Amino acid sequence: MGESTLAGQFFDAAIGLLERVRDEEAASIAAAGTAIADTVAAGGRLFAFGAGHSSLAAQEVVYRAGGLALMNLLAVPGVVGVDVMPATLGSALERVDGLASAVLDTSPVRSGDLLIIVSLSGRNALPVEMAMNARALGLSVIGVTSVAYAAGGTPSRHASGTYLKDHCDIVLDSKIAIGDAELTAEGVAAPFAPASTVVTSALMQATMAAAVGELAGRGIEPPLLRSGNVDGGHEWNGRVMSEYADRIFYRR
């Protein structure tokens, strides 16, 4: 293990969580990679959604060097970051019934597409409703969440009393403890050092890697983006974006 400084303790905690996720979620990650590959091969489109800090993991795989060009961000105004003012409005919007339905109805999603929903607690109305409605529209849904919230009795904020995990085709459990803070220290009143962004981002990238491997194994060229800071990157990306223009929405 690392040194006993608080910084070292955080690295140890994050590494421990990453090892747990790698070992315990391997089958689910493989299944999620297969589902993404199935969608790509069938001509479907890929979307990712997250609210608040969970949106960081969704954004991690959109228009990303080394990432799948077909992954689009399903944005809900006011909840995709902390840039909305006041920042607390984003948290309030996550609890609004009907918002997810309105977003899906006005988005480009259609039957046969795939949506990844990232929500640490999985308890708020927005991600629960998003998953329910997306499946009703014929989308495959992958949920990235911490099952600990539901298992620990943290009440759902959706009218159904259910959680994100209850409305997904595949669930990736981030293993993050309730409260999302890995450390405590003498003289510090609140726990601190959240690890959810590290772990959920790793889950997302592991899933993308599984999808790339699955596509390649089928003889399908994975539609990947290259870094624009590498010679030839812009030309490569232009070709990929042109070839898949009808399935990329972040350029419109």
Side-chain angles (χ1 to χ4, degrees), residues 4-108:
S4 60
T5 65
L6 289 175
Q9 288 175 35
F10 175 76
F11 279 115
D12 288 342
I15 290 167
L17 284 163
L18 289 170
E19 289 178 336
R20 280 192 65 196
V21 167
R22 178 196 64 197
D23 297 341
E24 298 172 21
E25 297 301 298
S28 295
I29 291 168
T34 297
I36 291 170
D38 288 344
T39 303
V40 172
R45 294 88 61 82
L46 306 174
F47 296 88
F49 164 76
H53 284 91
S54 290
S55 72
L56 297 175
Q59 294 177 59
E60 169 73 12
V61 295
V62 177
Y63 185 49
R64 182 64 190 263
L68 289 172
L70 306 189
M71 186 62 71
N72 301 278
L73 186 67
L74 184 63
V76 178
V79 305
V80 292
V82 294
D83 56 336
V84 62
M85 296 297 289
T88 50
L89 175 61
S91 299
L93 289 172
E94 288 187 64
R95 306 177 190 182
V96 174
D97 292 329
L99 181 56
S101 177
V103 168
L104 286 171
D105 288 347
T106 55
S107 77

Side-chain angles (χ1 to χ4, degrees), residues 62-63 68-72 225 241 248-252:
V62 177
Y63 185 49
L68 289 172
L70 306 189
M71 186 62 71
N72 301 278
L225 296 173
M241 289 182 181
I248 294 174
F249 299 95
Y250 51 78
R251 297 189 72 198
R252 302 180 184 179

Side-chain angles (χ1 to χ4, degrees), residues 44-250:
R45 294 88 61 82
L46 306 174
F47 296 88
F49 164 76
H53 284 91
S54 290
S55 72
L56 297 175
Q59 294 177 59
E60 169 73 12
V61 295
V62 177
Y63 185 49
R64 182 64 190 263
L68 289 172
L70 306 189
M71 186 62 71
N72 301 278
L73 186 67
L74 184 63
V76 178
V79 305
V80 292
V82 294
D83 56 336
V84 62
M85 296 297 289
T88 50
L89 175 61
S91 299
L93 289 172
E94 288 187 64
R95 306 177 190 182
V96 174
D97 292 329
L99 181 56
S101 177
V103 168
L104 286 171
D105 288 347
T106 55
S107 77
V109 303
R110 66 188 183 194
S111 180
D113 291 345
L114 180 143
L115 173 62
I116 303 176
I117 300 175
V118 187
S119 174
L120 177 59
S121 71
R123 68 187 296 219
N124 287 312
L126 184 55
V128 174
E129 182 186 328
M130 185 78 75
M132 294 174 70
N133 288 20
R135 291 180 88 187
L137 291 170
L139 278 73
S140 298
V141 176
I142 297 171
V144 182
T145 188
S146 173
V147 175
Y149 279 82
T154 304
S156 168
R157 291 187 174 125
H158 188 260
S160 67
T162 60
Y163 301 80
L164 169 61
K165 70 175 185 63
D166 299 318
H167 305 285
C168 298
D169 297 289
I170 301 166
V171 174
L172 303 180
D173 183 6
S174 65
K175 317 292 181 181
I176 301 295
I178 295 172
D180 191 19
E182 293 300 317
L183 303 182
T184 57
E186 185 177 350
V188 181
F192 55 99
S196 62
T197 303
V198 172
V199 176
T200 53
S201 295
L203 266 172
M204 295 290 277
Q205 291 296 357
T207 299
M208 297 304 113
V212 167
E214 182 69 22
L215 286 167
R218 300 181 193 185
I220 299 172
E221 175 72 25
L224 294 166
L225 296 173
R226 289 181 180 268
S227 171
N229 296 313
V230 173
D231 289 345
H234 284 300
E235 292 76 15
W236 172 282
N237 292 342
R239 178 183 62 79
V240 172
M241 289 182 181
S242 177
E243 182 177 350
Y244 293 95
D246 60 329
R247 297 155 77 178
I248 294 174
F249 299 95
Y250 51 78

